[in-house]
Amino acid sequence: MRVRDLLAPGAPRLRLLAAEEELDRQVSGVMTTDLQDPGRYLHGGELVLTGMLWRTGPDDSERFVRTIAAGGAVALAAGEAEVGPVPEDLVEACRRHRMPLLVVPDDVAFGAVAEYIGRQVSADRAADLAALVDRHRLLVSAAGGGGLDAVLDLLGGDLDLDCWVIAPTGRVVAGPADRLSAEDRDQLVRAHLAAQRQRRRPPHRARLAVGAYSLLPAPADPGAEAPLADWLLVVAGDVTEWTAKRQQLAENLARLVAAERTRRDEGRRLRRRIADEVLTLLRQDADPLEISRALQASATMAAKYEGGRPETADSWLILSAEGTGLPEGTVRAVLEEALTDSTDRALVAGAGSGAVVVLPAPGTAVPADALRELLAPLEAGLGSEGRITVGVSAPASEADGLRGALEEARHARRIAAARVGRVCVAGPEELASHVLLLAAVPDEVRRAFRSRLLDKVIAYDLEHQADLVRTLEAFLRSDGSWTRCAAQLHVHVNTLRYRIGRIEELTGRDLSRLEDRVDFYLALELA
């Protein structure tokens, strides 16, 4: 049980005075004491019941709370029957030590509180469930069975333990999805990936507005160096405060999740081979009939994997992705996880640092913004050198159009690679843009072009705080209109003319000329 359960309907009538943010702590037992120093009798996880007879002054409150906190107590319940209302110094001490403080009214017996806790907490039941989860893990790995949702339901119903399995994109693989918002999942994934990147030892703890959570990695491959595609086990509460038996339960559950992920990956192995075959055919500009046969084989496999009858897609689109500073195979695994919610008929091919996805489409392209948002949580795990860039093609309605879609996706990925950011995605709507031309220019040429036009302006801004770069951007967006630009910048037209004149002096360019305006526009895009 948790501390907050002592405030629920049906529990003894206790009141909370301090540390509301710590109510998700797990209670493993109860200790009744009026000793000034009960720390040596605490084992961790107890709710301490006291009549406050140890208190002779304010300093005693600080010493008592510090002692039980060091001993591992999870909450303090103070009775009012002997010495009257709880003093403010005890409330303040509990706030300082983040110790939940409950009041036991004078008409509620300590025995009733202890009996209630005893009924709710059972270490033997936790041990039995740990054995059950361990047996289920063996069954999953040996027989290929499923059942993560059933196990999590069992834990929630029998131990009031909320658990979720979450993919690195925030998708709920198993668990009560309606009890964890998309925003909360995003924060948990980012906290987990950041902790993994910093090589902190699990379990990791994350605190949200709704309470504390423990995060346990569940890698399909324990030897993998990157967690970007691994599932994550989320447990409500702080497992480091649990008893050893309950901690074993969480560890066994994480191993079960890893085994289920391995089973799922085994089921995808044949689909990966088909995906590699389709990509080879596209690269070799093979007969469209051969490509159609491979796609039909993919549909047959999808039907077998998902159940139902094989269905051929009306159109297909292609994603081209590349990873920088990541272990080989990471991008492929990441895209498989990211696209699971959309369809499990995606063919994800590739090796090394890149991947190509052939994805059934409903006749319209996947919005680049939606894909970027889907991959955004991964930024926390990429590190200073890690990067993922993705290009998306327009839909191709026939197999013979997939070759062109592949080229479109590659060009779009080059556009994404030219941008600043850890996760960058570009769609087919940008292929007619000047950005496509910039993406094809070698890096050193682009840097030299940008430097030649903007370095002096940037240096002047840094030295004089003149805001010339922002003025230049606004002037170009206003199509050279002095009045519109001045209004946008909230400056006088004469001030604007002075700034533009200074830019022209620094660069030797004339902003009344279309050619020079285009050059500045491109340089700003490169910046």
Side-chain angles (χ1 to χ4, degrees):
M1 66 175 295
R2 302 175 194 167
V3 176
R4 70 171 61 254
D5 296 331
L6 291 166
L7 303 170
R13 292 180 295 100
L14 309 184
R15 303 193 315 273
L16 177 69
L17 291 185
E20 181 180 3
E21 69 278 5
E22 298 294 337
L23 294 182
D24 284 321
R25 292 181 174 184
Q26 296 286 337
V27 180
S28 62
V30 61
M31 175 186 183
T32 303
T33 183
D34 274 306
L35 295 173
Q36 289 186 338
D37 183 6
R40 60 185 179 275
Y41 301 110
L42 294 170
H43 301 287
E46 294 94 345
L47 176 134
V48 175
L49 276 169
T50 180
M52 297 186 291
L53 297 177
W54 43 263
R55 182 184 178 277
T56 59
D59 291 342
D60 293 336
S61 294
E62 168 65 24
R63 182 168 51 252
F64 185 84
V65 175
R66 183 174 63 247
T67 297
I68 65 172
V74 295
L76 173 64
E80 296 181 326
E82 294 291 338
V83 299
V86 175
E88 187 60 30
D89 50 82
L90 181 57
V91 177
E92 289 301 320
C94 286
R95 286 174 179 159
R96 282 193 297 273
H97 291 278
R98 301 171 67 91
M99 177 67 64
L101 174 60
L102 306 171
V103 176
V104 184
D106 56 10
D107 60 342
V108 175
F110 278 9
V113 177
E115 182 182 354
Y116 180 80
I117 293 175
R119 288 199 308 266
Q120 299 296 318
V121 178
S122 173
D124 288 338
R125 286 170 59 201
D128 290 342
L129 280 173
L132 173 63
V133 171
D134 195 41
R135 286 197 300 272
H136 188 87
R137 175 179 61 82
L138 295 175
L139 288 172
V140 167
S141 58
L148 281 181
D149 275 308
V151 174
L152 298 188
D153 287 345
L154 174 64
L155 294 175
D158 216 16
L159 276 186
D160 193 24
L161 182 61
D162 287 337
C163 302
W164 298 263
V165 179
I166 300 178
T169 56
R171 175 178 63 89
V172 176
V173 178
D178 58 334
R179 300 181 65 178
L180 202 59
S181 70
E183 181 180 353
D184 289 342
R185 297 197 303 269
D186 180 84
Q187 292 184 51
L188 291 172
V189 167
R190 289 177 183 270
H192 162 69
L193 291 176
Q196 289 282 82
R197 181 168 55 82
Q198 296 164 9
R199 299 186 181 278
R200 300 208 306 264
R201 185 176 179 179
H204 311 127
R205 174 171 165 165
R207 176 163 294 282
L208 306 182
V210 293
Y213 294 87
S214 297
L215 314 175
L216 293 89
D221 178 6
E225 298 180 6
L228 287 178
D230 287 337
W231 287 349
L232 165 67
L233 174 63
V234 177
V235 181
D238 186 353
V239 301
T240 61
E241 297 178 349
W242 291 3
T243 63
K245 289 181 179 179
R246 289 179 67 95
Q247 289 184 17
Q248 182 186 9
L249 169 65
E251 293 169 1
N252 285 342
L253 184 57
R255 284 194 286 269
L256 183 152
V257 172
E260 177 68 8
R261 170 63 187 275
T262 299
R263 183 199 66 81
R264 198 284 312 269
D265 286 350
E266 287 293 326
R268 285 183 170 176
R269 182 167 296 180
L270 180 56
R271 291 176 52 73
R272 286 181 172 183
R273 288 204 295 268
I274 295 175
D276 289 338
E277 179 184 348
V278 170
L279 180 58
T280 299
L281 292 173
L282 291 175
R283 286 173 173 170
Q284 294 175 349
D285 200 16
D287 188 329
L289 185 58
E290 288 187 72
I291 299 175
S292 295
R293 288 171 180 163
L295 295 177
Q296 183 60 46
S298 165
T300 302
M301 274 300 302
K304 180 179 180 181
Y305 187 74
E306 299 174 344
R309 299 177 59 184
E311 295 182 3
T312 303
D314 295 330
S315 60
W316 300 78
L317 56 86
I318 291 183
L319 280 61
S320 177
E322 188 71 26
T324 304
L326 302 174
E328 290 191 359
T330 296
V331 173
R332 181 179 194 166
V334 161
L335 289 176
E336 283 182 334
E337 286 301 324
L339 297 171
T340 296
D341 257 353
S342 303
T343 175
D344 204 51
R345 296 176 59 195
L347 292 174
V348 186
S353 62
V356 172
V357 183
V358 182
L359 184 69
T364 58
V366 170
D369 288 342
L371 185 58
R372 187 184 301 109
E373 183 178 350
L374 189 64
L375 298 176
L378 301 177
E379 293 177 353
L382 288 173
S384 58
E385 302 298 327
R387 203 166 178 241
I388 296 176
T389 55
V390 186
V392 185
S393 77
S397 58
E398 301 290 342
D400 57 2
L402 285 176
R403 173 65 184 174
L406 177 59
E407 289 302 316
E408 280 189 2
R410 286 172 172 168
H411 284 305
R413 197 206 64 78
R414 293 192 190 102
I415 294 174
R419 293 175 175 159
V420 176
R422 302 281 182 83
V423 177
C424 297
V425 184
E429 66 279 357
E430 301 178 67
L431 292 178
S433 168
H434 62 280
V435 184
L436 178 59
L437 297 176
L438 295 179
V441 177
D443 288 345
E444 61 274 14
V445 176
R446 290 191 285 128
R447 283 194 296 267
F449 178 78
R450 180 180 64 233
S451 175
R452 189 161 54 248
L453 269 85
L454 296 181
D455 275 3
K456 291 182 179 180
V457 181
I458 294 171
Y460 190 90
D461 269 355
L462 292 173
E463 183 177 355
H464 301 283
Q465 303 298 311
D467 223 10
L468 295 186
V469 173
R470 189 168 74 93
T471 300
L472 177 60
E473 291 174 338
F475 187 72
L476 295 175
R477 283 198 304 269
S478 302
D479 297 325
S481 169
W482 297 99
T483 54
R484 277 193 288 132
C485 183
Q488 181 181 338
L489 293 173
H490 305 290
V491 299
H492 194 274
V493 172
N494 289 341
T495 301
L496 175 61
R497 290 185 184 277
Y498 171 80
R499 291 181 182 179
I500 295 299
R502 176 62 66 186
I503 293 171
E504 291 175 336
E505 290 175 10
L506 291 169
T507 61
R509 298 298 186 106
D510 182 356
L511 278 164
S512 66
R513 286 165 39 89
L514 175 62
E515 295 90 334
D516 287 342
R517 289 187 191 179
V518 170
D519 284 348
F520 275 120
Y521 178 79
L522 294 176
L524 288 168
E525 284 290 297
L526 290 172

